[in-house]
Amino acid sequence: MAKARKQKPEGGAGGGATVLHQKLCLSIDMENQLIYGYTEIKVLLAENDTFALHADSMTIRNILVDGEAAEFEYSPHWKNVDGQPSWLSVSCLKTAADAACSAYVSSLTSESVPNLIISSERSVKSTTELPEGENGEKHEENGGNSVQLSDDKEVKTCNGSAEGNDKEEGRETKKEDEKENRNEEKTEMEIETEEKEREKEKDKETEEGKEENEDEKEKEDANENEKDKENEMQIENEKVKNTKLVRVDYILEKAETGVHFVNNVLHSNSQIRRAHCWFPCIDSAIERCPFDLEFTVSTDLVAVSNGDLLYQVLSKEDPPRKTYVYKLNTPVSAQWISLVVGPFEILPDKNGISVSHMCLSPTLSKLENTISFFHDAYSCYEDYLAAPFPFGLYKQIFLPSEMVVSPTSFGASTCIFSVDILNDEKVIDQIIGTRIKLAYALARQWFGIYTSAEEPNDEWLLDGLAGFLTDLFIKRYLGNNEARYRRFKANCTVCQFDVSGATGLGSPAASTDLYGTQTIGSYGKIRSLKAVAVLQTLEKQMGPDSFRKILQMIVASTRASRTLSAKEFRHLANKIGNLERPFLKEFFPRWIESCGCPIMRLGISYSKRRNMVELAVSRGCTAKADPDSDSHADGDIQEGATGWPGMMSVRVHETDGVYDHPILPMAGEALQVVELQCHSKVAAKRFQKTKKGSKPDGSDDNVDASTQENRTSMDAPLLWIRVDPEMEYLAEIHFHQPIQMWINQLEKDKDVVSQSQAIAVLEKLPQLSFAVINALNNFLNDTKAFWRVRVEAAYALAVTASEDTDLAGLLHLVKFYKSRRFDADIGLPRPNDFHDIPEYFVLEAIPHAVALVRSSDKSSPRQAIEFILQLLKYNDNNGNVYSDVYWLAAMVQAIGEVEFGQQGIGLLSSLLKRIDRLLQFDNFMPGYNGVLTVSCIRALARIAERVSSSICLVRTIILVILSILSHCWCFLHIAIMWCNFLLLQDRICELITPFRNMDKPWKVRIEASRVLLDLELHHKGLDAALLLFLKYADEEKTLRGGTKLAVHVLRICQANIDSSRTDQIKLQTLLALLHLLGSKKSYNNVLLRHNVFCILQIAAGRPPTLYGVPKFAAPSPLVQEISIDQHTKADSSVPQLSRPQEPSTSTPSVREVLPTTVPSKDADNISNCSERRNVVKIRVRRAASSSKADGAASSSKADGADLRDHSHGGRNENEVGPCSSMSVDAPMVGAPNEPLNTSNHIEEQNSCHDRESRMSASVSNAKLMDTHEISKELQCTADSRIDAVDSRLDAVKDQFSPVINVQDGVDKPGSQLEGVSTSYAGTQAPESVNGLDSKEKKRKDKKDKKRNRDEKRDKKDDPEYLEKKRLKKEKKKMEKELARKQKEGDRLSSQQDIAKPSDSQGTFVATPPAPAQSAEPQVSNKDVAVETARTPPTKKIKIRFKPLKKIG
């Protein structure tokens, strides 16, 4: 069982006071927009006699403390908003950002401080005097009664003694006579009996003494208990004395924040710290109490609030009014108190669950269709948690979009939604999203409201648990494929944006210090997704049953506290989840208290002789290095620190089965090699005879290129390999394997994540083969595949369609669509039929995918435009039970993606007519939520942006001149057409502007404003767009509309801010933004204010967050500039992020995966040798499957470009996709002192790929030579992308010619390669040549020679071997020619340029400039520490060498 929680000392945020209970009684006047009433707060005071509350935007009438008037001080925040600073210090973007930080932080700080100070000093004195007086009177009465009773007793005893003296004297004489007679009659027997009786009396006396001692002990114990009770009573009495009942009477007139009056509806919202704007309270997340709520409204309205509805009271007023009485027994914070008043239609749930759904009359039919599933989510949560709904009755209220501030507003037992979430029974597209949103809101009732965070640092835990419950519902009722696909995409998003300390979940700098703004905007979404991913990782580690028990314990009604902390959850994970303490001690600090996700780059190589797969691993982190690490000492663990705990699994799909290998540690060295044993064996290899007419190297033009590229993959028993197949860890994984293995993964793996990974790799290949296109097409046509992944395959076909493949992707897309939707007899589309919903989603994405196809001139092919136009023209929805509004909207959006070239420009007018027709139709007969109108407006804007005004103007001038000169009416007609296109943008603006009128639907009005902002940006620039935004924000009356416009402008700034320019935004515009930031409008709309602040930060080149901003005062501009410069310098060495989690097709440089100095003789083998000799050969050879038709110059220059990209350890951002023939020389995994063979030729399967070039590297042929006998041989061949050759021809000559500095290396001892550095990691350092015995060398040499002879015999018919032999001969011949030319030409002693390659295979050859001076760098016979270089690529590579002393 978990340990009992330590109770915190009492005392809250309200000046040391703790709220025990609060009652709220309000009367609402809808006509006058007036709220008046009172609130009663039962508070426990601390030592002082004053306490504080939050209150704003209201008029305080009076305050009573225990029934007596109390003094108070009230300073509303909203009155101080108008007194804005003059912003005189603002002169540029950076100073404006500093001013925004200062203003924003100061406003947030002031809002968190209570502003209603109440003094209870008078009432304390009066109440303390009254009990003393009453107690004194009672004490005196009791004392008087006791005295009177004692006097009566004394009087009575005196009277009785005086009357009976005579009688007693007579009795005494008689007794004396009788005694004398009895004494004479006594015998001896009587004397004996008396003695016995005396003995018995003595025994009785001893027993009575013992009993008296026991009674005394019992009395002492009873006295101690009484003392304890008295102490407890005293403490309780002190609490009672310090407990005060505070009543605040107030009036709220025309509220603008907290609660909102719209037409005949009143509703509250759960904005950050805005609950005190409609009732006084301690507005803090950590201050919780039960509530009693009473609301009096008109009889035709319904008041909906939190808790259980106890009863309704009808008043006798004229007109009569109704009071709704609610009671909420569960302690909650004030932000979860909500109120909605309006003429609602109430719809109880039909499945017998305690849920009520409410909306206005026009949307009742949509509500009935939407909530049909809700009992599934409700029962799912109750069954999983083994606990009923914690608040009794759950209420969902749906309000019009223009009324609400945000799409969802949470409250205790209530939730307010926008009606946009409701879906009609005829609409398909909205079903999935609606169900997920409603399920998440229900999960928040358990985690976030019923169980709340103990501290702001723990809010991530409750948010993550609510998301975990939502994923559980998705898995059960929407399918496992939907749940896994969504989680995979969410993890990709987290890895992409989790790059700074702002996303640290439990870090105080990223939560407590941000005043709650960490939950707003994009960073809030990233934090939520990351929290769910971290909790799912814990669930995988401890098991689903243990994790379920923990959640059941948290929500159990018998649990003492209703708060949860990360520390307590960690304790439960240890006790109930059976997770070891060392793992938890490493897990929580790394995943929760810091930022960043692990980056795993992996490549494989298969060894046929050992039947082993070698997995090369490179580890990194997504978090950027922080140059100011001291300022956040409690924050982030940066890259290269402790790593992440856990062991990642590798799943190998072999020919004989599937095998899991949990051998990949998350933490460890930056570079590592892991070996995987294969269980299947390779079948015997059969060589096919060369066909007649084939090329000497064995290649054939008619053979698919992928067959040759992946021929070597057939030599391995591997089908495909996956890393972390169950998504146990949140990591960015870049895995590289041959193309055929990716195809196998797409075709044979049934996991949606695996299929999505394969498509992401195949669509980015630099050279596409028909095998890849056919694989994508087959998957698109597979109806058993998940529809979301099929949609990805459709977009991949659109991306792969090019002139090189004869637009095969476009043909496949059109053929697929026509086979499903066209009538084969007439060749036209059939009427719509959407009964097959997965097929509907796939076909809906085809027009948009077709619009993305581009020809060689970067314009859309004419057949693609004609296809979309045909679909719009012949769309027929007659007889279809489902609506086609989203179907048409997808087609219209596809028009916006079309690039009009010379061939397709003639179809533009027809497309515009179709769009105009749809706009008119939707205007006369409004469709579903204005979806079609919004799509048409967006498409018109995209068309206006794509028709470049400058090009149109130039063409118009040229054509007009030609028409004048030739007097040809044809040219004049064309010129007029181009003039019309020039005026197209202005006409579109005039067409869209009327949609901003207030009579238009809210969504249409906002979309028109966003489109006009885009057009203003395109026409006049960013400054003009910001000024237009300020105008629209001032005109927009709805809070949600202002927020949406601010978010849109924020995205515009992120996409268009140029850090090198300081004149993009004028000073006047910056001042206007600052005034908006501090205005009353921003105070009323927390989301608008935050987004305006983010806009100013992005304009200055800073991240859009408060993280890292000083808490109280902003630093001077000079300090800011220095810190920014340092930050940019530090970040320059950090590699940029690529697409997260989805297997990247980019291959990092060889040294980024493994050290590159491992000796090997064959370029295709991974050598197990670690010997070092003085002569180093680096051979980079071309793959056998690459095309041989390239010219010598093009190939050599492309090779030079690739050599530049791979000569450094940093990541190459220009890499596009993998290839199939890279091998990496891996150091042997084993004992460091073990002698290793230097000449073993191991046949291996190469798998590390490069996007732009296919290459393999090896270091071999090491000899110990004299300084003057050193020779250098550098051969580089590569096959680059064909489309990149022409652009690199002129640049390669000057930028990639290594320069050898001879003079600098003569005077310095030792040998060092400065341009290219290589390393071994850990215990993988090579051994010295002197460590091998001469006899062992001879014996191994004999074996190697024999093996070489056998291999040469087997390779006689191998085209790769023949090609290699031919290249070797050409190399030697070229070396001689270049050496002769070098001697005759250049005689410089300091530097000699390496000769340009000139052979037909694209070979670079480096030769010494003269026989006396060799350009070969000296390599010491000592072990040289080799390090992976991470320097950015430079234009020239200088190789400096230093001669060594001769070994004596």
Side-chain angles (χ1 to χ4, degrees):
M1 296 295 292
K3 292 182 180 179
R5 179 199 300 266
K6 291 183 179 180
Q7 296 295 332
K8 283 189 165 186
E10 294 181 353
T18 301
V19 178
L20 303 179
H21 184 272
Q22 185 164 359
K23 181 179 180 180
L24 184 62
C25 299
L26 297 179
S27 180
I28 295 105
D29 185 359
M30 299 294 292
E31 294 182 358
N32 300 319
Q33 296 185 1
L34 179 66
I35 297 176
Y36 55 92
Y38 67 91
T39 179
E40 288 183 351
I41 306 175
K42 188 177 182 181
V43 296
L44 178 62
L45 297 181
E47 296 178 357
N48 54 352
D49 296 330
T50 62
F51 62 96
L53 299 176
H54 295 86
D56 219 339
S57 303
M58 61 186 67
T59 302
I60 305 295
R61 301 175 64 183
N62 62 341
I63 296 178
L64 303 177
V65 178
D66 289 340
E68 293 191 1
E71 296 182 356
F72 64 91
E73 295 181 3
Y74 176 47
S75 56
H77 295 299
W78 61 273
K79 288 187 177 180
N80 299 326
V81 170
D82 297 332
Q84 296 183 6
S86 58
W87 315 112
L88 295 177
S89 61
V90 176
S91 60
C92 62
L93 294 175
K94 292 183 179 180
T95 55
D98 293 338
C101 290
S102 177
Y104 194 28
V105 170
S106 63
S107 61
L108 290 173
T109 305
S110 62
E111 290 170 12
S112 63
V113 177
N115 59 337
L116 178 57
I117 312 300
I118 303 173
S119 176
S120 60
E121 185 175 357
R122 293 182 180 178
S123 59
V124 168
K125 290 181 179 179
S126 60
T127 54
T128 53
E129 288 174 357
L130 289 175
E132 289 177 357
E134 292 174 357
N135 294 334
E137 290 176 359
K138 289 180 180 178
H139 181 69
E140 289 177 357
E141 291 175 357
N142 294 334
N145 293 332
S146 62
V147 169
Q148 289 175 0
L149 289 173
S150 60
D151 293 341
D152 292 339
K153 287 180 181 179
E154 292 176 355
V155 171
K156 287 179 180 178
T157 54
C158 294
N159 295 332
S161 60
E163 291 175 356
N165 290 331
D166 297 335
K167 294 181 179 178
E168 289 179 356
E169 292 177 355
R171 290 175 183 175
E172 290 177 354
T173 56
K174 289 181 178 179
K175 287 181 180 179
E176 290 177 355
D177 295 335
E178 289 178 354
K179 286 181 180 179
E180 291 176 355
N181 296 326
R182 288 176 182 176
N183 292 331
E184 293 176 355
E185 295 176 353
K186 283 182 180 180
T187 60
E188 295 177 355
M189 295 295 293
E190 290 177 353
I191 295 171
E192 293 178 356
T193 56
E194 288 178 358
E195 292 177 355
K196 292 180 180 179
E197 289 177 357
R198 289 173 183 175
E199 291 177 358
K200 289 181 180 179
E201 289 178 356
K202 290 180 181 181
D203 295 336
K204 289 180 179 179
E205 289 178 358
T206 55
E207 290 178 358
E208 289 177 357
K210 293 180 179 179
E211 291 178 356
E212 289 177 357
N213 294 332
E214 293 178 355
D215 293 338
E216 290 177 358
K217 291 181 180 179
E218 291 179 357
K219 289 180 180 180
E220 291 177 358
D221 295 337
N223 292 331
E224 291 179 357
N225 294 331
E226 289 178 359
K227 289 180 180 179
D228 294 338
K229 290 181 180 179
E230 289 178 359
N231 293 331
E232 292 178 358
M233 292 295 294
Q234 289 178 0
I235 294 173
E236 291 180 0
N237 291 333
E238 288 178 359
K239 287 185 177 180
V240 171
K241 290 180 181 180
N242 293 331
T243 301
K244 304 298 178 183
L245 185 63
V246 181
R247 171 168 173 155
V248 181
D249 294 325
Y250 68 96
I251 297 176
L252 189 63
E253 295 179 305
K254 296 182 179 180
E256 296 180 353
T257 184
V259 290
H260 307 275
F261 290 90
V262 183
N263 299 331
N264 203 24
V265 175
L266 165 71
H267 69 93
S268 63
N269 60 79
S270 58
Q271 291 192 95
I272 300 176
R273 283 185 297 277
R274 289 297 179 268
H276 68 275
C277 291
W278 68 285
F279 68 96
C281 60
I282 297 182
D283 200 354
S284 173
I286 61 175
E287 194 68 39
R288 311 165 191 90
C289 70
F291 280 85
D292 289 340
L293 306 168
E294 297 180 8
F295 302 104
T296 303
V297 297
S298 177
T299 54
D300 59 339
L301 302 178
V302 178
V304 184
S305 190
N306 313 98
D308 296 327
L309 177 62
L310 299 182
Y311 50 85
Q312 304 176 29
V313 179
L314 187 63
S315 67
K316 297 181 181 180
E317 299 178 6
D318 188 22
R321 295 169 65 82
K322 186 183 292 186
T323 302
Y324 291 83
V325 181
Y326 291 89
K327 187 174 185 62
L328 182 62
N329 294 321
T330 304
V332 298
S333 58
Q335 63 175 333
W336 303 127
I337 300 301
S338 57
L339 172 64
V340 185
V341 179
F344 296 120
E345 297 287 340
I346 302 175
L347 187 64
D349 196 272
K350 299 179 181 179
N351 295 278
I353 58 177
S354 299
V355 179
S356 295
H357 314 276
M358 307 176 193
C359 68
L360 299 178
S361 300
T363 56
L364 184 60
S365 60
K366 291 182 181 180
L367 178 62
E368 293 178 352
N369 178 73
T370 303
I371 64 174
S372 60
F373 84 99
F374 195 75
H375 69 283
D376 294 333
Y378 193 90
S379 59
C380 173
Y381 294 163
E382 286 190 335
D383 176 65
Y384 183 81
L385 298 174
F389 183 72
F391 294 108
L393 181 65
Y394 180 56
K395 301 166 281 290
Q396 295 185 130
I397 306 98
F398 298 87
L399 299 178
S401 304
E402 59 272 14
M403 292 185 182
V404 297
V405 180
S406 57
T408 306
S409 179
F410 301 108
S413 77
T414 61
C415 194
I416 304 172
F417 298 96
S418 168
V419 293
D420 292 339
I421 204 174
L422 300 178
N423 64 280
D424 193 85
E425 60 181 355
K426 296 183 178 181
V427 176
I428 300 174
D429 298 67
Q430 206 173 341
I431 296 175
I432 296 177
T434 294
R435 295 188 175 185
I436 292 175
K437 292 175 183 177
L438 294 179
Y440 176 75
L442 179 61
R444 288 285 292 179
Q445 296 295 318
W446 270 281
F447 298 106
I449 301 177
Y450 178 66
T451 304
S452 56
E454 184 174 315
E455 298 291 341
N457 295 351
D458 304 320
E459 291 179 355
W460 70 269
L461 181 57
L462 282 308
D463 195 8
L465 289 175
F468 180 86
L469 270 188
T470 308
D471 282 359
L472 176 68
F473 164 76
I474 295 173
K475 184 177 180 179
R476 286 193 181 181
Y477 292 98
L478 298 180
N480 187 49
N481 287 340
E482 181 74 19
R484 283 184 60 83
Y485 186 86
R486 283 180 172 271
R487 179 45 43 200
F488 170 66
K489 294 300 181 183
N491 289 355
C492 293
T493 305
V494 173
C495 291
Q496 182 179 3
F497 294 101
D498 188 11
V499 296
S500 66
T503 53
L505 297 178
S507 172
S511 53
T512 307
D513 297 345
L514 302 189
Y515 305 94
T517 59
Q518 69 274 8
T519 61
I520 304 177
S522 58
Y523 281 105
K525 295 178 182 178
I526 297 302
R527 287 170 57 90
S528 298
L529 296 176
K530 183 179 180 181
V532 179
V534 170
L535 291 177
Q536 287 185 343
T537 300
L538 282 175
E539 187 220 11
K540 295 285 177 59
Q541 295 295 323
M542 69 177 66
D545 294 337
S546 299
F547 195 82
R548 182 180 181 181
K549 289 180 182 178
I550 293 176
L551 266 61
Q552 290 176 355
M553 181 176 292
I554 292 172
V555 300
S557 58
T558 57
R559 188 164 172 263
S561 177
R562 291 265 57 88
T563 61
L564 180 66
S565 65
K567 185 177 181 180
E568 183 181 359
F569 188 81
R570 175 177 171 178
H571 180 74
L572 293 173
N574 174 243
K575 294 298 182 182
I576 301 176
N578 296 323
L579 293 181
E580 297 179 355
R581 289 177 181 248
F583 173 80
L584 293 173
K585 286 182 179 179
E586 193 175 359
F587 183 90
F588 272 75
R590 195 62 190 89
W591 280 109
I592 296 167
E593 298 174 7
S594 62
C595 67
C597 299
I599 300 177
M600 307 287 287
R601 298 184 181 90
L602 307 102
I604 63 168
S605 181
Y606 174 69
S607 175
K608 182 178 179 181
R609 183 177 66 85
R610 297 187 299 161
N611 197 25
M612 191 82 71
V613 175
E614 291 186 353
L615 187 66
V617 185
S618 173
R619 297 180 179 88
C621 178
T622 60
K624 296 179 180 179
D626 189 1
D628 192 15
S629 58
D630 296 336
S631 61
H632 305 293
D634 57 344
D636 316 327
I637 300 175
Q638 300 298 337
E639 180 179 358
T642 60
W644 285 263
M647 189 72 68
M648 190 176 285
S649 178
V650 179
R651 181 172 295 173
V652 181
H653 293 259
E654 302 181 17
T655 55
D656 294 344
V658 181
Y659 303 93
D660 285 342
H661 303 270
I663 61 173
L664 185 59
M666 296 286 291
E669 299 176 357
L671 304 174
Q672 186 180 1
V673 175
V674 180
E675 292 185 345
L676 309 176
Q677 182 65 51
C678 292
H679 299 77
S680 307
K681 294 184 179 180
V682 186
K685 183 178 179 181
R686 296 182 180 180
F687 293 98
Q688 295 182 357
K689 294 182 179 181
T690 58
K691 298 179 181 180
K692 292 183 178 180
S694 62
K695 296 183 180 181
D697 59 356
S699 61
D700 191 355
D701 292 336
N702 299 323
V703 179
D704 192 354
S706 64
T707 304
Q708 295 182 1
E709 290 176 357
N710 303 288
R711 181 173 57 186
T712 51
S713 66
M714 299 297 104
D715 297 339
L718 307 176
L719 298 179
W720 69 94
I721 298 177
R722 293 190 62 196
V723 180
D724 193 21
E726 300 300 329
M727 291 190 297
E728 297 181 6
Y729 297 96
L730 176 62
E732 180 179 340
I733 299 175
H734 302 268
F735 184 62
H736 310 280
Q737 61 183 352
I739 298 175
Q740 185 59 41
M741 295 177 72
W742 286 115
I743 295 176
N744 294 340
Q745 180 173 325
L746 175 62
E747 294 178 343
K748 300 178 181 180
D749 203 329
K750 302 304 179 184
D751 184 18
V752 294
V753 176
S754 177
Q755 295 166 354
S756 180
Q757 289 173 344
I759 291 175
V761 172
L762 294 177
E763 73 176 349
K764 294 180 180 179
L765 293 175
Q767 293 183 353
L768 293 168
S769 61
F770 286 99
V772 174
I773 297 175
N774 292 334
L776 293 173
N777 181 48
N778 294 336
F779 188 84
L780 174 62
N781 286 272
D782 186 6
T783 56
K784 295 181 180 180
F786 185 48
W787 66 269
R788 290 190 186 273
V789 189
R790 292 176 66 193
V791 170
E792 286 189 0
Y795 284 109
L797 282 173
V799 173
T800 57
S802 61
E803 298 288 348
D804 298 335
T805 58
D806 298 330
L807 298 177
L810 174 61
L811 299 178
H812 285 309
L813 289 172
V814 174
K815 183 180 178 181
F816 169 77
Y817 191 93
K818 289 184 176 181
S819 65
R820 264 73 172 174
R821 296 284 299 111
F822 272 55
D823 191 340
D825 297 332
I826 61 177
L828 294 176
R830 294 193 298 266
N832 297 333
D833 185 8
F834 300 154
H835 284 91
D836 190 351
I837 294 182
E839 199 72 14
Y840 162 80
F841 284 118
V842 176
L843 291 172
E844 187 183 44
I846 298 300
H848 191 266
V850 169
L852 296 176
V853 177
R854 297 290 182 264
S855 57
S856 58
D857 59 348
K858 304 303 179 182
S859 62
S860 300
R862 183 179 178 86
Q863 54 267 39
I865 304 176
E866 291 176 346
F867 174 74
I868 299 173
L869 181 61
Q870 187 181 24
L871 297 183
L872 271 176
K873 184 177 181 181
Y874 294 102
N875 180 69
D876 184 8
N877 203 51
N878 293 326
N880 188 17
V881 296
Y882 294 103
S883 172
D884 65 341
V885 57
Y886 281 97
W887 182 267
L888 282 172
M891 295 181 186
V892 174
Q893 289 179 7
I895 298 176
E897 299 294 336
V898 172
E899 287 283 356
F900 295 96
Q902 295 181 355
Q903 296 181 355
I905 196 67
L907 301 173
L908 178 59
S909 59
S910 300
L911 292 173
L912 292 176
K913 289 179 181 178
R914 290 291 163 187
I915 295 176
D916 182 60
R917 182 178 180 181
L918 292 174
L919 274 174
Q920 294 179 5
F921 178 78
D922 201 53
N923 188 25
F924 293 137
M925 298 180 63
Y928 180 77
N929 289 346
V931 172
L932 188 57
T933 301
V934 168
S935 299
C936 292
I937 292 174
R938 193 174 301 162
L940 287 173
R942 296 297 298 272
I943 292 173
E945 291 175 2
R946 291 179 182 276
V947 178
S948 177
S949 59
S950 59
I951 297 177
C952 293
L953 180 61
V954 172
R955 292 183 178 179
T956 302
I957 295 174
I958 294 174
L959 292 174
V960 169
I961 294 174
L962 290 174
S963 63
I964 294 174
L965 294 177
S966 59
H967 301 284
C968 180
W969 290 102
C970 176
F971 283 105
L972 185 59
H973 174 72
I974 297 175
I976 293 174
M977 181 185 69
W978 281 111
C979 288
N980 292 333
F981 287 141
L982 179 62
L983 301 176
L984 178 64
Q985 292 180 345
D986 295 334
R987 293 182 179 179
I988 288 178
C989 291
E990 295 175 359
L991 178 65
I992 294 175
T993 301
F995 287 99
R996 291 196 66 252
N997 296 336
M998 297 302 296
D999 58 340
K1000 298 295 181 183
W1002 176 81
K1003 291 183 69 175
V1004 174
R1005 188 173 72 249
I1006 297 302
E1007 184 62 29
S1009 300
R1010 292 194 292 192
V1011 162
L1012 291 174
L1013 287 173
D1014 293 337
L1015 293 176
E1016 189 75 7
L1017 172 71
H1018 185 73
H1019 279 201
K1020 302 179 182 179
L1022 183 59
D1023 185 75
L1026 289 175
L1027 289 175
L1028 188 62
F1029 157 69
L1030 293 170
K1031 176 185 175 183
Y1032 289 168
D1034 184 60
E1035 296 174 354
E1036 184 59 40
K1037 301 233 176 136
T1038 63
L1039 298 181
R1040 192 179 177 194
T1043 302
K1044 281 190 169 290
L1045 291 177
V1047 171
H1048 186 69
V1049 173
L1050 178 63
R1051 294 172 181 171
I1052 289 177
C1053 293
Q1054 288 177 328
N1056 296 276
I1057 285 291
D1058 187 0
S1059 58
S1060 62
R1061 293 181 56 187
T1062 59
D1063 57 344
Q1064 279 187 294
I1065 305 177
K1066 297 179 181 178
L1067 180 59
Q1068 183 181 1
T1069 307
L1070 294 175
L1071 294 175
L1073 288 172
L1074 288 172
H1075 281 287
L1076 177 60
L1077 177 66
S1079 65
K1080 181 71 178 296
K1081 190 179 189 68
S1082 293
Y1083 176 80
N1084 295 335
N1085 191 347
V1086 173
L1087 301 178
L1088 173 64
R1089 181 175 65 175
H1090 182 76
N1091 284 288
V1092 172
F1093 163 77
C1094 293
I1095 290 171
L1096 289 167
Q1097 298 305 305
I1098 290 176
R1102 302 175 185 175
T1105 176
L1106 270 176
Y1107 177 79
V1109 175
K1111 193 170 183 179
F1112 296 104
S1116 62
L1118 180 60
V1119 176
Q1120 286 284 352
E1121 292 177 5
I1122 295 174
S1123 62
I1124 291 174
D1125 294 339
Q1126 293 176 352
H1127 185 73
T1128 54
K1129 290 178 182 178
D1131 287 347
S1132 62
S1133 61
V1134 180
Q1136 296 296 323
L1137 294 177
S1138 60
R1139 191 175 181 177
Q1141 184 71 22
E1142 303 176 14
S1144 174
T1145 57
S1146 65
T1147 300
S1149 62
V1150 177
R1151 125 178 349 96
E1152 207 167 343
V1153 181
L1154 282 178
T1156 59
T1157 57
V1158 182
S1160 176
K1161 279 194 174 183
D1162 191 359
D1164 289 336
N1165 296 338
I1166 294 183
S1167 174
N1168 294 325
C1169 170
S1170 62
E1171 292 187 28
R1172 177 178 290 275
R1173 302 177 185 173
N1174 284 60
V1175 176
V1176 180
K1177 288 187 178 181
I1178 302 176
R1179 180 177 301 127
V1180 184
R1181 69 180 181 80
R1182 189 174 191 171
S1185 60
S1186 59
S1187 176
K1188 310 299 181 182
D1190 298 339
S1194 300
S1195 177
S1196 63
K1197 290 175 173 56
D1199 291 338
D1202 287 334
L1203 183 61
R1204 170 197 60 179
D1205 294 338
H1206 294 277
S1207 61
H1208 300 277
R1211 293 173 60 185
N1212 185 8
E1213 291 297 332
N1214 297 324
E1215 293 171 350
V1216 181
C1219 69
S1220 61
S1221 65
M1222 165 153 309
S1223 72
V1224 181
D1225 292 332
M1228 180 176 180
V1229 180
N1233 298 326
E1234 216 172 340
L1236 301 176
N1237 190 1
T1238 62
S1239 58
N1240 290 339
H1241 291 267
I1242 303 170
E1243 296 182 7
E1244 296 166 343
Q1245 177 58 41
N1246 304 319
S1247 68
C1248 293
H1249 308 296
D1250 190 357
R1251 289 179 171 174
E1252 296 199 2
S1253 64
R1254 293 183 291 275
M1255 55 189 300
S1256 60
S1258 65
V1259 181
S1260 62
N1261 294 340
K1263 285 186 179 182
L1264 197 62
M1265 303 179 66
D1266 192 76
T1267 306
H1268 300 287
E1269 295 176 355
I1270 292 176
S1271 63
K1272 180 180 178 182
E1273 184 177 2
L1274 175 64
Q1275 179 183 355
C1276 300
T1277 61
D1279 181 17
S1280 296
R1281 296 178 63 183
I1282 298 175
D1283 55 354
V1285 170
D1286 296 334
S1287 62
R1288 298 177 178 176
L1289 287 176
D1290 298 331
V1292 171
K1293 295 181 181 180
D1294 297 331
Q1295 295 182 3
F1296 300 100
S1297 296
V1299 179
I1300 301 171
N1301 193 338
V1302 181
Q1303 293 180 352
D1304 294 341
V1306 173
D1307 298 330
K1308 299 178 182 180
S1311 174
Q1312 182 181 7
L1313 292 176
E1314 294 181 359
V1316 180
S1317 64
T1318 54
S1319 68
Y1320 290 94
T1323 60
Q1324 300 173 355
E1327 288 189 353
S1328 175
V1329 180
N1330 298 329
L1332 293 176
D1333 192 27
S1334 59
K1335 292 182 180 180
E1336 293 180 359
K1337 284 185 179 181
K1338 293 179 181 179
R1339 191 180 303 111
K1340 290 178 181 179
D1341 290 340
K1342 289 181 181 180
K1343 291 181 180 180
D1344 295 341
K1345 290 179 182 179
K1346 185 177 180 181
R1347 189 181 295 108
N1348 290 338
R1349 287 196 299 269
D1350 296 339
E1351 289 180 355
K1352 287 181 180 179
R1353 190 182 305 109
D1354 296 336
K1355 291 181 178 180
K1356 285 183 178 180
D1357 298 329
D1358 191 0
E1360 294 183 1
Y1361 176 75
L1362 296 175
E1363 175 68 12
K1364 177 181 175 182
K1365 192 173 181 180
R1366 184 178 64 81
L1367 289 174
K1368 190 174 181 180
K1369 292 180 179 179
E1370 291 184 357
K1371 179 199 66 174
K1372 290 182 179 179
K1373 184 179 179 181
M1374 189 61 62
E1375 282 179 356
K1376 294 180 181 179
E1377 294 180 0
L1378 291 175
R1380 181 174 54 83
K1381 293 179 180 179
Q1382 194 77 12
K1383 293 177 184 178
E1384 296 176 355
D1386 227 348
R1387 294 289 184 181
L1388 296 176
S1389 61
S1390 60
Q1391 290 184 352
Q1392 296 295 337
D1393 292 335
I1394 298 178
K1396 306 298 185 297
S1398 59
D1399 68 320
S1400 60
Q1401 300 301 325
T1403 304
F1404 286 100
V1405 181
T1407 58
Q1413 295 181 348
S1414 174
E1416 176 68 16
Q1418 297 288 341
V1419 181
S1420 174
N1421 59 347
K1422 299 180 181 179
D1423 294 343
V1424 180
V1426 190
E1427 299 177 353
T1428 302
R1430 287 192 176 270
T1431 56
T1434 56
K1435 294 185 177 182
K1436 290 187 178 182
I1437 302 175
K1438 295 184 179 181
I1439 303 178
R1440 298 179 180 178
F1441 68 93
K1442 304 167 187 178
L1444 293 177
K1445 297 180 181 179
K1446 294 182 180 180
I1447 298 176

